[in-house]
């Protein structure tokens, strides 16, 4: 735990006053340590949605929502997106520092040699309906890894934790690509060790056995950037889900499957699919204003997908890089006049100038642009969230490992404010 700031917070309740230590962060708000609140004062805190709760100490990722800043292990995301690449970022997130050349080579080699799936897992894929959402398949297959890789499920063994981590980072692209291939009725394409991580994923998605498929390096770079930008994001819903699942000492494959399930929701990782569907529904630039108004109507549940964030109250720094990448990809593919991008740009402009969005600090988030890039790369909307999942796997694992290795770790067990019926006696059915 970080050193105490020598400050304390006093809570006074029913004439009883208790002091609680305050700890300073390297960046961001200090925290009040209220672990002894219940034992000393007999009350709980109440914070649905955890808007003021720090659930853990972490050294991995920092977000400054007001400044629009995202750091992985201290490095700004825009520097990493520009100069680094996904597997180097994976190493950074997992082990804390950028690797030297030998460490990077060794890490890439280890990941590359774990990309194949147990051959019998094919039958698991084939058990799903063809029209299953790829996220349903990814969630099921990741969970099933614990049935296929028994030798890496003991969380108390550091070597097994390491092998499970490498396996998941290596195999998630294969799992996602195969979920896609299965949904379109094409043969599974095996991983290729001569390609880099992003290019290999694109190859497994778009190659077919009957002809050669060459991955364009600019598209592979765009894919790598999407992965880098999604690699981790502090204690968001899916990461907290992984930590909570892991706090009971469940095996890592089960924990990451729980993270995939949590990510699927449209308020979280499902927003990239929902955003592109919304842009298509808007259909033409002249209807943008109508949808911006709709999003402000208190009697209408509609929200602008790809806008707003629990933490960012400024431009999402990931969205800035995505915006640039979207342009590069669309220019390369000759779809610079893409109608969806035009609608996206018009929507971004209107929303950024609109009083409602300004006053509520609702800026475009990462999902606003990532969907446009993924569509240009040839992915159907149903694959957007699986790609987010494969990119975030390293973040989930880094956070899970940090939790398991933290000596103060305990099973996560929130309490509640009970407002149901007071205690009452059972009444026989004839007398009700
Ligand atoms: N469109 C219109 N109004 C919005 C939007 C939006 N996208 N987002 C928030 N608001 C309004 C909301 O109605 C509320 O208004 P009021 O104060 O009058 O009730 C106010 O802004 C605050 O919203 P909130 O729901 O209390 O804020 P939150 O921090 O709980 O929600 C959010 C954050 C991301 C769930 C929300 O902004 C949202 O639903 N956005 C659309 C979905 C989306 O793009 N999600 C991707 C998030 S980034 C990727 C990831 O991390 O997964």
């Amino acid at each position: 735990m970080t050193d105490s700031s020598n400050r304390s917070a006093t809570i006074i309740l029913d004439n009883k006053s208790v002091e609680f230590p305050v700890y300073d962060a390297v960046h961001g708000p200090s925290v009040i340590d209220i672990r002894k609140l219940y034992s000393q004062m007999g009350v709980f805190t109440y914070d649905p949605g955890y808007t003021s709760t720090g659930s853990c100490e972490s050294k991995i990722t920092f977000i400054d929502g007001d400044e629009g800043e995202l750091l992985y292990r201290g490095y700004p995301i825009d520097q990493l997106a520009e100069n680094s690449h996904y597997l180097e970022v994976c190493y950074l997130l997992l082990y804390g520092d950028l690797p030297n050349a030998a460490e990077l080579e060794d890490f890439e080699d280890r990941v590359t040699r774990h990309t194949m799936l147990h051959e019998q897992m094919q039958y698991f894929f084939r058990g799903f309906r063809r029209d299953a959402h790829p996220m349903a398949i990814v969630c099921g297959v990741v969970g099933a890894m614990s049935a296929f890789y028994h030798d890496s499920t003991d969380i108390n063994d550091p070597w097994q934790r390491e092998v499970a981590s490498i396996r998941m980072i290596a195999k998630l692209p294969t799992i996602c690509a195969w979920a896609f291939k299965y949904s379109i009725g094409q043969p599974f394409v095996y991983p290729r060790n001569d390609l880099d991580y992003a290019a290999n994923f694109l190859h497994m998605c778009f190659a077919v056995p009957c002809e050669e498929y060459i991955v364009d390096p600019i598209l592979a770079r765009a894919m790598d950037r999407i992965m880098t930008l999604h690699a981790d994001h502090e204690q968001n819903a899916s990461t907290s889900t992984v930590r909570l699942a892991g706090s009971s000492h469940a095996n890592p494959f089960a924990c990451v499957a729980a993270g995939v399930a949590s990510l699927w929701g449209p308020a979280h990782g499902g927003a990239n699919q929902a955003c592109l569907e919304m842009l298509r529904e808007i259909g033409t630039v002249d209807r943008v204003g109508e949808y911006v108004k709709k999003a402000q109507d208190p009697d209408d549940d509609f929200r602008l997908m790809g806008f707003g964030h629990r933490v960012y109250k400024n431009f999402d720094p990931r969205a800035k890089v995505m915006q640039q990448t979207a342009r590069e990809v669309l220019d390369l593919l000759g779809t610079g006049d893409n109608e969806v991008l035009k609608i996206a740009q018009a929507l971004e402009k209107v929303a950024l100038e609109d009083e409602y969005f300004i006053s509520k600090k609702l800026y475009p988030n990462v999902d606003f642009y990532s969907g446009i890039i993924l569509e240009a790369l040839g992915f159907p909307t149903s694959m957007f969230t699986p790609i987010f999942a494969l990119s975030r796997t390293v973040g989930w694992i880094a956070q899970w490992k940090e939790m398991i290795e933290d000596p103060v770790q305990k099973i996560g067990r929130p309490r509640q404010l009970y407002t149901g019926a007071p205690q009452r006696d059972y009444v026989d059915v004839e007398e009700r």
Side-chain angles (χ1 to χ4, degrees):
M1 174 65 72
T2 322
D3 282 345
S4 167
S5 65
N6 292 324
R7 285 184 293 153
S8 62
T10 306
I11 297 183
I12 304 168
L13 182 71
D14 300 332
N15 296 324
K16 186 175 178 190
S17 156
V18 179
E19 278 192 23
F20 296 92
V22 171
Y23 305 122
D24 284 339
V26 171
H27 292 306
S30 307
V31 297
I32 304 169
D33 178 353
I34 47 101
R35 279 176 291 179
K36 296 208 168 107
L37 180 71
Y38 177 57
S39 64
Q40 301 203 353
M41 305 198 86
V43 291
F44 301 138
T45 55
Y46 178 63
D47 184 18
Y50 310 116
T51 51
S52 297
T53 296
S55 59
C56 60
E57 179 182 353
S58 182
K59 295 180 166 54
I60 303 174
T61 295
F62 172 71
I63 303 171
D64 185 328
D66 294 324
E67 293 297 320
E69 195 173 71
L70 168 61
L71 311 177
Y72 290 166
R73 301 282 189 184
Y75 295 100
I77 190 65
D78 50 331
Q79 289 184 25
L80 293 171
E82 187 59 35
N83 306 309
S84 184
H85 59 91
Y86 184 68
L87 279 188
E88 186 174 69
V89 166
C90 288
Y91 185 101
L92 173 70
L93 288 168
L94 285 173
Y95 306 114
D97 282 307
L98 286 169
N100 62 30
E103 287 164 339
L104 181 61
E105 193 185 330
D106 172 65
F107 180 70
E108 288 181 338
D109 192 58
R110 280 189 290 142
V111 171
T112 306
R113 284 174 199 291
H114 277 94
T115 49
M116 284 205 306
L117 298 182
H118 190 294
E119 192 65 5
Q120 225 177 319
M121 286 183 96
Q122 287 205 12
Y123 301 106
F124 202 77
F125 280 85
R126 294 184 201 285
F128 284 96
R129 279 172 53 143
R130 286 272 176 207
D131 59 358
H133 194 291
M135 270 307 263
I137 300 182
V138 173
C139 192
V141 175
V142 172
M145 283 177 81
S146 51
F148 285 88
Y149 301 104
H150 297 151
D151 58 349
S152 50
T153 53
D154 179 358
I155 64 140
N156 297 312
D157 177 347
W159 184 83
Q160 294 202 27
R161 291 203 295 272
E162 178 67 15
V163 175
S165 306
I166 297 289
R167 277 185 169 144
M168 279 189 277
I169 293 165
K171 293 182 201 303
L172 251 291
T174 316
I175 293 173
C176 289
W178 285 19
F180 174 48
K181 285 298 199 193
Y182 185 72
S183 72
I184 55 173
Q186 287 187 1
F188 298 136
V189 174
Y190 285 88
R192 272 200 16 206
N193 288 359
D194 59 323
L195 297 176
D196 68 31
Y197 192 86
N200 174 50
F201 175 61
L202 291 175
H203 187 265
M204 285 190 291
C205 288
F206 297 117
V208 284
C210 43
E211 61 186 28
E212 196 183 2
Y213 175 83
I214 298 180
V215 182
D216 187 299
I218 295 187
L219 301 186
R221 178 79 188 127
M223 189 71 244
D224 189 280
R225 237 178 221 175
I226 289 181
M227 292 170 170
T228 299
L229 294 174
H230 285 87
D232 194 42
H233 212 227
E234 209 227 58
Q235 308 309 322
N236 56 81
S238 57
T239 302
S240 298
T241 302
V242 171
R243 279 187 178 256
L244 193 56
S247 77
S248 73
H249 296 179
N251 76 68
F253 304 111
C255 298
V256 170
V260 176
S262 168
L263 186 76
W264 195 357
H268 191 10
N272 48 18
Q273 172 170 351
C275 177
L276 207 88
E277 285 165 0
M278 177 194 73
L279 295 174
R280 289 219 183 95
E281 188 190 308
I282 295 175
T284 51
V285 170
D286 59 329
R287 294 185 65 207
V288 162
E290 182 191 321
Y291 277 79
V292 170
K293 279 213 172 63
K294 198 169 145 62
Q296 304 177 19
D297 182 352
D299 300 324
D300 193 327
D301 286 344
F302 174 76
R303 284 184 170 203
L304 282 189
M305 287 293 132
F307 276 80
H309 198 275
R310 169 60 63 81
V311 181
Y312 293 120
K313 302 301 168 197
N314 199 327
F315 221 97
D316 179 340
R318 303 168 300 171
K320 280 190 191 159
V321 183
M322 281 291 178
Q323 187 184 36
Q324 166 70 15
T325 309
R327 187 137 301 288
E328 283 167 22
V329 167
L330 290 169
D331 285 349
L332 175 82
L333 296 176
T335 44
D337 57 351
N338 180 306
E339 190 62 24
V340 166
L341 182 66
K342 280 192 196 156
I343 297 169
Q345 282 173 322
L347 185 61
E348 179 196 14
K349 190 167 184 302
V350 175
L352 285 176
E353 288 168 358
D354 188 281
E355 185 43 37
Y356 173 91
F357 286 85
I358 294 170
S359 63
K360 292 192 186 299
K361 300 186 174 171
L362 299 169
Y363 291 87
N365 59 47
V366 65
D367 291 326
F368 186 67
Y369 294 104
S370 62
I372 295 163
I373 301 172
L374 292 173
E375 186 192 52
L377 291 176
F379 287 105
T381 50
S382 60
M383 277 301 289
F384 293 2
T385 317
I387 290 168
F388 190 161
L390 91 81
S391 315
R392 181 56 58 83
T393 295
V394 68
W396 290 330
I397 292 167
Q399 301 267 354
W400 169 81
K401 279 181 80 183
E402 185 179 66
M403 179 199 64
I404 294 293
E405 288 159 16
D406 184 347
V408 305
Q409 186 267 331
K410 274 174 175 291
I411 187 166
R413 179 57 172 91
R415 304 305 297 268
Q416 62 176 8
L417 171 67
Y418 177 72
T419 54
Q423 183 173 348
R424 46 187 169 166
D425 290 326
Y426 180 82
V427 179
D428 281 335
V429 68
E430 299 79 29
E431 291 166 33
R432 279 176 233 159

